[in-house]
């Protein structure tokens, strides 16, 4: 016997959470496809860039910067460490504090992936007008700050 499905209100298609998750997955898959020849995923690339740009960063600080749960960042860092792209070191300011640093292989991986990221970014920028992209960034920043 089949159950009668309840009627779902039509305004549920305007669910911000659903639409943002859908767009996020599409963008992540798009960048992952472009970065695949370099053997790196978009999230890994973003983590490496942040680690390289932010000196003496801890896992907790990285997760906060990237808007990730600390457990998710920790799993990601473990993969980067296993690949030999990052290492752990004592902080220059506080030897008790463990920070993440790029290795030579990590720097090389960023350099290898950069052209593929640039191609993906150019495709996105060419698809969206500059003003649309600026509005998108402003709106996403507003959502992130206010919610």
């Amino acid at each position: 016997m089949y159950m009668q499905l309840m009627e779902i209100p039509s305004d549920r298609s305007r669910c911000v959470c659903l639409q943002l998750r859908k767009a996020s997955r599409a963008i992540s898959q798009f960048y992952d496809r472009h970065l695949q020849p370099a053997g790196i995923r978009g999230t890994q690339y973003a983590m490496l860039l942040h680690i390289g740009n932010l000196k003496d960063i801890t896992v907790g600080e990285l997760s906060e910067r990237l808007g990730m749960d600390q457990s998710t960042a920790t799993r990601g860092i473990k993969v980067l460490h296993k690949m030999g792209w990052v290492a752990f070191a004592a902080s220059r300011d506080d030897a008790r504090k463990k920070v993440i640093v790029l290795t030579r292989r990590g720097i090389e991986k960023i350099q290898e992936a950069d052209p593929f990221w640039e191609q993906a970014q150019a495709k996105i920028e060419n698809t969206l007008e500059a003003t649309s992209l600026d509005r998108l960034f402003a709106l996403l920043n507003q959502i992130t700050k206010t919610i």
Side-chain angles (χ1 to χ4, degrees):
M1 176 182 267
Y2 293 101
M3 292 183 61
Q4 179 71 25
L5 292 177
M6 65 179 261
E7 188 171 321
I8 298 172
S10 62
D11 66 343
R12 295 311 185 262
S13 65
R14 294 183 47 82
C15 176
V16 175
C17 181
L18 173 65
Q19 295 300 327
L20 284 174
R21 284 182 180 269
K22 186 176 171 182
S24 178
R25 278 192 300 276
I27 291 292
S28 292
Q29 291 168 0
F30 176 81
Y31 277 91
D32 285 349
R33 281 192 308 274
H34 279 80
L35 291 166
Q36 188 174 15
I40 190 169
R41 299 179 60 97
T43 51
Q44 294 169 328
Y45 180 78
M47 290 177 100
L48 289 178
L49 287 177
H50 274 77
I51 293 164
N53 288 329
L54 302 168
K55 305 300 180 222
D56 267 10
I57 191 164
T58 65
V59 174
E61 292 163 345
L62 180 66
S63 67
E64 188 176 314
R65 287 283 188 141
L66 293 173
M68 303 174 127
D69 291 333
Q70 187 161 342
S71 60
T72 303
T74 299
R75 284 192 303 275
I77 292 300
K78 284 182 180 178
V79 171
L80 299 180
H81 185 258
K82 183 178 176 183
M83 300 299 288
W85 299 338
V86 300
F88 299 101
S91 169
R92 291 179 293 216
D93 299 332
D94 182 352
R96 297 170 295 172
K97 188 167 115 177
K98 188 164 65 169
V99 297
I100 314 156
V101 295
L102 285 180
T103 63
R104 181 179 310 271
R105 289 179 65 195
I107 293 167
E108 290 168 354
K109 183 52 68 174
I110 291 172
Q111 292 169 338
E112 179 186 358
D114 274 343
F116 300 108
W117 179 89
E118 288 172 2
Q119 289 172 357
Q121 185 72 12
K123 284 183 181 180
I124 297 279
E125 289 178 0
N126 289 335
T127 301
L128 299 174
E129 297 174 7
T131 55
S132 295
L133 200 53
D134 290 341
R135 284 196 314 261
L136 174 62
F137 288 154
L139 183 58
L140 292 172
N141 285 328
Q142 180 184 358
I143 290 170
T144 301
K145 288 178 184 175
T146 59
I147 294 185

